């Protein structure tokens, strides 16, 4: 990705209107980041340590979601914590490109993954007798790889779109990491056509996924209402409500950040911090607190860790 400009690095100005709050923000964001890593690592350990859970499609996809939730906040958080602790705010041109690419790669992968997880629940509840045939190990592996493949294609397109343009100064990024809207403000060329293409691309992908998820859950709700057993209805709704909560927490920030007609820098930064740090931190709680199998497996992992520590 070649750029003929003299800009070799950018300066991250951080979250707008948070001057003199660096120490407080550092402690707050570091706490969120640590809890996010610990929570998702525990979920990962709980699933990987149980052969039965790992070979169940829902938990296999949850395992991949936990991996994404470990790496997703790691795209922007380490650099943000680095400069909040009083260090340099400079980021190299290549570092900026990497941030933008991996942010959208992991974000798009999660978006596709939520769609696949909704499809998995649709098959499990609407076609229970055919579930093991439709969601075979091979099908799950293809779907899991497909989420990463299409996430990578989308990220390459958006990154190329953003950095094919000339950056001839200024180099101050009025944000806490390199993202498309703030980077286009620094371009020394007309960006109106590219902004429209980016708007359609960033908006169309999550909207398509959301409509597919909505279709899946509409069919699921209809099927659940046909269940005569109250206990069966309760269990089905309990499983699906956890998925829907996680989906809403993931999709709402995308709508607020990328599809608003007049961007608000402070609102965007606040919502994006919640999306980058809080949502990945809450996902383990959402999926474990409503799921007896995950809680049981987690308890076993914690007990084993305690025994190792005692020895």
């Amino acid at each position: 990705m070649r750029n003929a400009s003299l800009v070799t690095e950018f300066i991250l100005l951080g979250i707008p209107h948070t001057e003199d709050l660096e120490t407080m923000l550092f402690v707050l964001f570091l706490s969120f980041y640590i809890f996010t890593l610990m929570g998702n690592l525990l979920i990962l350990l709980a699933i990987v340590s149980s052969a039965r859970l790992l070979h169940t499609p829902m938990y296999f996809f949850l395992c991949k979601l936990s991996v994404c939730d470990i790496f997703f906040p790691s795209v922007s958080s380490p650099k943000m914590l680095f400069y909040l602790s009083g260090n340099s705010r400079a980021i190299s041109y290549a570092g900026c490109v990497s941030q933008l690419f991996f942010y959208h790669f992991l974000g798009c992968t999660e978006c596709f993954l939520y769609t696949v997880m909704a499809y998995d629940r649709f098959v499990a509840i609407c076609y229970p007798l055919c579930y093991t045939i439709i969601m075979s190990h091979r099908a799950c592996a293809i779907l899991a790889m497909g989420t990463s493949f299409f996430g990578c294609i989308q990220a390459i397109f958006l990154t190329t779109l953003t950095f094919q343009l000339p950056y001839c100064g200024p180099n101050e990024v009025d944000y806490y990491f390199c993202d498309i809207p703030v980077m286009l403000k620094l371009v020394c060329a007309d960006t109106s056509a590219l902004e429209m293409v980016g708007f359609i691309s960033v908006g169309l992908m999550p909207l398509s996924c959301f409509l597919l998820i909505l279709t899946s859950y509409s069919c699921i709700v209809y099927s659940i209402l046909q269940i005569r057993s109250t206990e069966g209805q309760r269990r089905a709704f309990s499983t699906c409500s956890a998925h829907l909560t996680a989906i809403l927490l993931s999709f709402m920030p995308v709508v607020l950040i990328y599809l608003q007609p007049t961007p608000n820098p402070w609102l965007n930064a606040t919502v994006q911090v919640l999306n980058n740090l809080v949502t990945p931190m809450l996902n383990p709680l959402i999926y474990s607190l409503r799921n007896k199998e995950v809680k049981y497996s987690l308890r076993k992992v914690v007990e084993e860790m305690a025994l190792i520590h005692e020895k």
Side-chain angles (χ1 to χ4, degrees), residues 3 5 7 9-13 96 162-163 165-175 178-189 191 195:
N3 195 309
S5 70
V7 174
E9 67 174 20
F10 296 96
I11 309 297
L12 300 171
L13 300 182
C96 201
T162 305
F163 288 98
L165 298 165
Y167 289 87
C168 48
N171 67 338
E172 292 185 340
V173 179
D174 191 17
Y175 214 46
C178 299
D179 198 13
I180 296 168
V182 288
M183 294 310 298
L184 290 180
K185 289 179 183 177
L186 304 179
V187 172
C188 306
T191 61
E195 281 174 9

Side-chain angles (χ1 to χ4, degrees), residues 54-127:
L54 188 60
H55 288 88
T56 306
M58 184 175 80
Y59 298 109
F60 172 72
F61 294 129
L62 181 56
C63 191
K64 179 163 184 180
L65 181 65
S66 290
V67 172
C68 287
D69 280 343
I70 288 168
F71 286 106
F72 186 58
S74 301
V75 172
S76 58
S77 297
K79 181 61 183 177
M80 178 174 65
L81 293 168
F82 182 73
Y83 68 70
L84 284 175
S85 62
N87 293 292
S88 172
R89 291 174 177 266
I91 182 170
S92 67
Y93 182 87
C96 201
V97 173
S98 299
Q99 265 198 348
L100 195 144
F101 170 78
F102 284 107
Y103 177 78
H104 286 280
F105 166 56
L106 292 164
C108 292
T109 299
E110 281 203 18
C111 193
F112 292 129
L113 191 57
Y114 282 125
T115 311
V116 167
M117 290 172 82
Y119 173 71
D120 170 66
R121 291 300 83 205
F122 162 74
V123 176
I125 293 169
C126 299
Y127 300 97

Side-chain angles (χ1 to χ4, degrees), residues 127-138:
Y127 300 97
L129 299 177
C130 304
Y131 181 67
T132 52
I133 298 168
I134 297 170
M135 299 303 290
S136 63
H137 295 320
R138 184 171 177 271

Side-chain angles (χ1 to χ4, degrees), residues 34-63:
I34 290 169
F35 280 120
T36 298
L37 295 182
M38 286 177 62
N40 284 288
L41 279 170
L42 278 172
I43 291 287
L44 204 56
L45 281 170
I47 296 171
V48 171
S49 63
S50 171
R52 187 175 62 83
L53 288 183
L54 188 60
H55 288 88
T56 306
M58 184 175 80
Y59 298 109
F60 172 72
F61 294 129
L62 181 56
C63 191

